[in-house]
Amino acid sequence: MKTILRNACIILLAASTLSCVTIRQGNVGVKRTLGKIDPDFMEPGARLYNIFATKIITVPVRTENIEVTLELPSKEGLNVKADISILYHIEKSKATEIVGEIGMDYESTIILPVFRASAADVTAKYMAKDMHTGNRFEIETAIKEQMMKIIGSRGFEIEAVLMKSIQLPQGLYKAIEEKLEAEQDAQRMEFILLKEKQEALRRTIEAEGIRDANQIISEGLTPQIIQYQTIEAYRELSKSPNAKLIIGNGQQPILLEP
């Protein structure tokens, strides 16, 4: 009986030191036992651990989004305010290293400082207007690549850097709008000039056609042909049942209705 009670006490004591944690999808578990990090990460699922000696740290490996607002320098020395999203995730195989070497505050410890330095380094090579036009994608890609050179080997995968909102200095906004309006006016004028040139070409071709036709007709109107057609006109008039008075010299008849 005493043995049974002793075993029961041992079981209850062991059970009281155990706890269960559930690692959800999109996360992995990192086990720390007596201050030492286990090199193998734990896949999603339920896990038992000793609450006095072990701690299970949940590390997200799904895509995370960091929203940042900062002022970026431009090539001409202006400061451009930007709202930027950084999309990243942690590689599963590097989760234990990140927890052991950097800690769970890795966003403020490494990702954001590297982003700020990379963004400033890249945008300083571009004019302020480039951040507001078609070069935005090029700038975003350059910042991402610069970040990956620094922290890619540490287990962080930068998926994208998205410049969502760009606020240029007010004077620069006006200058860009004026330039765009001038370019639109120039394009509109080019279209008008092209249309006028096409219309002028059409008229020239039409006039040349009329001239050539008249020239052909005039070259074919010999005196003999004119006389022949006059005779034919007399013949057709003679067939008419109506009474007519024709006065002419055989070349140019004049028709008078009685």
Side-chain angles (χ1 to χ4, degrees):
M1 185 65 179
K2 291 181 179 180
T3 302
I4 295 174
L5 290 174
R6 184 172 61 251
N7 291 337
C9 290
I10 293 172
I11 294 172
L12 290 173
L13 180 62
S16 65
T17 63
L18 294 178
S19 182
C20 179
V21 63
T22 300
I23 303 172
R24 300 184 181 278
Q25 292 293 328
N27 301 278
V28 294
V30 175
K31 184 166 66 173
R32 176 186 286 143
T33 303
L34 299 175
K36 184 178 179 180
I37 298 292
D38 190 320
D40 297 324
F41 65 87
M42 304 171 70
E43 292 284 0
R47 296 289 184 272
L48 290 174
Y49 68 98
N50 187 318
I51 60 174
F52 295 108
T54 303
K55 181 179 181 180
I56 304 298
I57 303 170
T58 302
V59 180
V61 292
R62 60 183 178 273
T63 298
E64 299 287 335
N65 178 25
I66 306 177
E67 300 281 348
V68 184
T69 300
L70 74 167
E71 292 189 350
L72 299 172
S74 66
K75 189 175 182 179
E76 65 265 54
L78 298 175
N79 288 327
V80 178
K81 188 176 181 181
D83 293 330
I84 302 176
S85 286
I86 307 167
L87 302 180
Y88 78 96
H89 69 266
I90 291 175
E91 298 178 16
K92 287 184 178 182
S93 60
K94 296 285 188 177
T96 56
E97 293 182 23
I98 290 173
V99 174
E101 298 175 5
I102 303 173
M104 289 301 294
D105 197 20
Y106 46 79
E107 286 190 354
S108 60
T109 301
I110 187 169
I111 295 179
L112 287 176
V114 170
F115 163 72
R116 291 191 178 95
S118 299
D121 184 55
V122 170
T123 59
K125 301 175 184 177
Y126 290 86
M127 304 295 286
K129 63 181 181 63
D130 295 334
M131 304 179 202
H132 196 265
T133 56
N135 289 324
R136 181 184 296 191
F137 177 74
E138 181 180 330
I139 295 172
E140 294 171 342
T141 303
I143 295 174
K144 171 189 170 182
E145 292 175 351
Q146 182 80 356
M147 292 182 69
M148 285 299 296
K149 289 179 182 178
I150 301 173
I151 62 174
S153 61
R154 304 293 298 272
F156 299 97
E157 180 68 29
I158 305 301
E159 300 177 11
V161 174
L162 305 175
M163 303 176 72
K164 301 190 299 181
S165 175
I166 301 294
Q167 297 181 23
L168 299 177
Q170 190 61 34
L172 187 59
Y173 260 125
K174 185 177 180 181
I176 292 175
E177 290 177 355
E178 291 176 351
K179 181 181 178 182
L180 291 175
E181 289 178 359
E183 290 176 351
Q184 291 175 354
D185 290 341
Q187 292 176 355
R188 191 179 301 111
M189 184 57 65
E190 287 180 4
F191 173 76
I192 293 173
L193 291 175
L194 178 61
K195 185 177 179 181
E196 292 296 332
K197 287 180 180 179
Q198 291 175 340
E199 178 63 18
L201 179 60
R202 185 193 67 79
R203 292 179 181 177
T204 300
I205 295 173
E206 182 181 13
E208 290 176 350
I210 295 173
R211 180 200 64 193
D212 293 343
N214 290 336
Q215 183 176 356
I216 293 171
I217 293 173
S218 63
E219 290 175 353
L221 291 177
T222 62
Q224 291 81 7
I225 292 177
I226 294 175
Q227 185 176 11
Y228 172 76
Q229 293 195 355
T230 301
I231 295 171
E232 287 296 318
Y234 282 153
R235 183 178 293 112
E236 292 297 325
L237 288 172
S238 66
K239 296 178 182 179
S240 174
N242 298 328
K244 298 176 180 62
L245 178 61
I246 300 174
I247 302 174
N249 56 4
Q251 295 180 351
Q252 298 178 346
I254 299 175
L255 177 63
L256 298 178
E257 294 289 345

